[in-house]
Amino acid sequence: QSGEGKESAVILFWVLTAILGFLLLVVIMNLISAPRMKNIPAELSSSPTVSVCIPARNEEHNIGNVLHSLLESSYRVMEIIVVDDHSTDTTAQVVSRLAEQDKRIRLIRGAEMPSGWKGKNFACFQAAGAASGSVLLFLDADVVLTPNAVRYALHTMEAKQCSMLSVFPTQSIRSFGEWLVVPLMNWLLLTFLPLRNVYASPDPRFVAANGQMIMIHRDLYNNIGTHQAFRDAVVEDMEIARKVKRTGNRMITLTGGDAVYCRMYNGFADAVNGFSKNFYAGFNSGKPGFFFMITFFLLLFWAPLFLIPAGTVYMIPVVLIMLSRAGVSCLSRQNIILNMLLHWIQMPLMFYIGLRSLTKKDVRWKGRIITS
């Protein structure tokens, strides 16, 4: 190599090592300080009334599981409102049968969606409108709670003096296709954001929320405009979180730990389609900025492997990447070895999903067009 080439290689090595080393520190910080849900009988100084709001569209295979888990909760929720969002399967029948066993379960047939709304947002809006509790717990139908999850969430809000809590559930991953996509979500969250800062910093740029589980005080929900204020948002969870922080209220976001579980997608195609729906919208950036970001991620977290033939010193950035994947996998309660091995397939796949999220029109979810 010429002197200029050697100098460029040295600069490239140190840039890669510095950035990856810094991001590994973020992962370590999350391992030490990221809030986690726990399945323990936490103490409470008060007993707020909790209304559970569940939007459900074609969830016949999931809805029974979440309802049973709520009925077994150590903290007795006041009511469980399920909005059947024009399902074409037996979702409504499953809910009706369980409602006969426990009167706290209420089935609402979803109204026709007005123009300008997204389906899930309108279903949540209807559920909240029918609820009477002082605390609203929004859950997706594919979430399962352990018996102490509701109690621990309330305890956390009380102890941290927060008005909103959100949880990224521990994902149940059952197929190879899901392993290629699903771990990317927690990797993006926990590699680039110190999760503690969602609570500790008032800056609305430090925000993360997941609509799979959001607990919020009813007064705050009304004050920020309910779901009506976010009626056309694809990632309404993030928009709600930003509004909460901008209005000077505190929120906290936790990983699911051993208390909240979810199987988000059923297979590879379902995972790619679902991730495409949210990826670009979740970053609240313009298209050029998002394209630059996913390109940067690909170069930073994939290219070092192919630089090793040019110099074994590039093993150092590769080791930093593997250590960060191990840390995120540990915090996410995922298979560490599998995520480390699949990382090199996941990165170009993430780039593809990002491009798809950026360019694809007429994204469909559960038979309904989400974006166009």
Side-chain angles (χ1 to χ4, degrees), residues 52-70 80-85 87 89 91 94-95 120 124 137-145 169 211-213 261-264 365-366:
V52 183
C53 302
I54 304 174
R57 179 175 171 85
N58 295 337
E59 296 285 0
E60 62 183 2
H61 300 298
N62 294 317
I63 193 67
N65 295 329
V66 66
L67 292 177
H68 280 298
S69 73
L70 287 163
I80 305 166
I81 301 168
V82 181
V83 175
D84 176 28
D85 186 14
S87 298
D89 62 5
T91 296
V94 174
V95 177
K120 178 183 176 182
C124 288
L137 173 56
F138 293 98
L139 289 178
D140 278 4
D142 51 8
V143 170
V144 174
L145 306 180
Q212 292 176 320
M213 180 172 173
Y261 294 88
C262 174
R263 187 185 183 192
M264 190 183 296
W365 187 246
K366 296 188 181 293

Side-chain angles (χ1 to χ4, degrees), residues 240-261:
I240 290 170
R242 289 188 185 104
K243 185 65 175 288
V244 166
K245 293 196 83 168
R246 286 187 185 122
T247 53
N249 292 277
R250 303 185 83 172
M251 65 164 293
I252 189 168
T253 299
L254 305 89
T255 61
D258 64 350
V260 183
Y261 294 88

Side-chain angles (χ1 to χ4, degrees), residues 35 64 214 299 303:
I214 289 177
L299 293 174

Side-chain angles (χ1 to χ4, degrees), residues 347-361:
M347 288 300 103
L349 188 56
M350 177 205 64
F351 184 75
Y352 163 73
I353 294 171
L355 290 180
R356 191 173 185 268
S357 180
L358 196 61
T359 59
K360 187 173 175 57
K361 301 294 184 182

